[in-house]
Amino acid sequence: MEVQNQFVTALLTDFYQVSMAYAYWKHGRHNEPCVFDMFFRKNPFGGSFTVFAGLSTVLDYVSNFCFTDSDIEFLKTRMNAEEGFFQYLRELNCDSVTIYGVKEGSVVFPKVPILRIEGPLGICQLLETTLLNLTNFASLITTNAARMRLAAGPDKLLLEFGLRRAQGPDGAMTASKCAVLGGFNGSSNCQAGKVFDIPISGTHAHSFVCSFRGIDDLKSKELD
């Protein structure tokens, strides 16, 4: 089961998405049926393919989508909208939204839809930014890992060690998961190993080597 990130909420969107949803509601268009196709324009790293990732996180987000009371109170401090709109947001969920997508880990190509979102215009508009956020970085890391696996061949051991240089803890967790999805054997990230049930492994740090002055510091000089 996908773990819900505390930041992945209905408010993880651009403010203009909420403003547009208000305009739809104001003019009675928020429930009109619509279709959003999500695609990308070019492959990363100058490559010839992309590996799609992030679908499981998208489905988890959509399944749990809602504006909490505190979300509504926050929005009331930032926009001048009618009370009826905030009530609309308070009752909003994704029960009427249908999502079609390619299988996670599939090879995909530019200008070909990888997700299709069908449903009422208001809610689909509010999903746009978040769905892009949940799939762009994940697909980037997975694609890079797949390219490295192709370059290294099927028999080489590849481990992801990016935790200390990642874009914060969220970036680190996503990168560790997606590196394995892209073909790596494991990660050094213990938290990712626990949460995503992926293999963990590692070597040692320079501080470990420096803590021994010579062979005489070793209690045992044999390898088990």
Side-chain angles (χ1 to χ4, degrees), residues 130-221:
T130 319
L131 267 55
L132 290 169
N133 174 270
L134 295 176
T135 55
N136 276 332
F137 180 68
S139 298
L140 183 76
I141 296 298
T142 306
T143 302
N144 201 28
R147 286 166 56 89
M148 293 180 188
R149 170 54 71 193
L150 287 173
D155 301 323
K156 298 293 184 181
L157 178 67
L158 296 181
L159 299 174
E160 181 269 328
F161 278 69
L163 176 58
R164 63 181 59 193
R165 293 182 176 86
Q167 290 83 359
D170 297 321
M173 293 292 286
T174 299
S176 297
K177 173 186 175 183
C178 291
V180 174
L181 177 61
F184 274 44
N185 299 95
S187 169
S188 68
N189 187 339
C190 293
Q191 180 75 342
K194 176 185 177 182
V195 172
F196 302 125
D197 191 27
I198 60 177
I200 55 174
S201 187
T203 54
H204 56 75
H206 290 96
S207 55
F208 181 81
V209 177
C210 294
S211 66
F212 297 94
R213 292 172 297 178
I215 193 73
D216 294 332
D217 286 342
L218 301 178
K219 291 183 179 182
S220 174
K221 299 180 176 60

Side-chain angles (χ1 to χ4, degrees), residues 74-149:
F74 167 75
L75 288 174
K76 286 182 177 180
T77 67
R78 301 303 171 97
M79 64 186 302
N80 183 23
E82 297 177 30
E83 180 61 32
F85 174 66
F86 295 119
Q87 185 61 32
Y88 159 71
L89 293 182
R90 186 177 285 109
E91 298 173 355
L92 201 58
N93 59 48
C94 291
D95 288 350
S96 56
V97 174
T98 301
I99 295 181
Y100 303 91
V102 301
K103 184 179 179 180
E104 191 156 21
S106 296
V107 174
V108 293
F109 301 96
K111 301 179 181 179
V112 178
I114 52 181
L115 285 180
R116 170 166 288 181
I117 299 89
E118 297 181 357
L121 180 57
I123 179 63
C124 289
Q125 187 69 71
L126 289 168
L127 295 177
E128 180 187 27
T129 294
T130 319
L131 267 55
L132 290 169
N133 174 270
L134 295 176
T135 55
N136 276 332
F137 180 68
S139 298
L140 183 76
I141 296 298
T142 306
T143 302
N144 201 28
R147 286 166 56 89
M148 293 180 188
R149 170 54 71 193

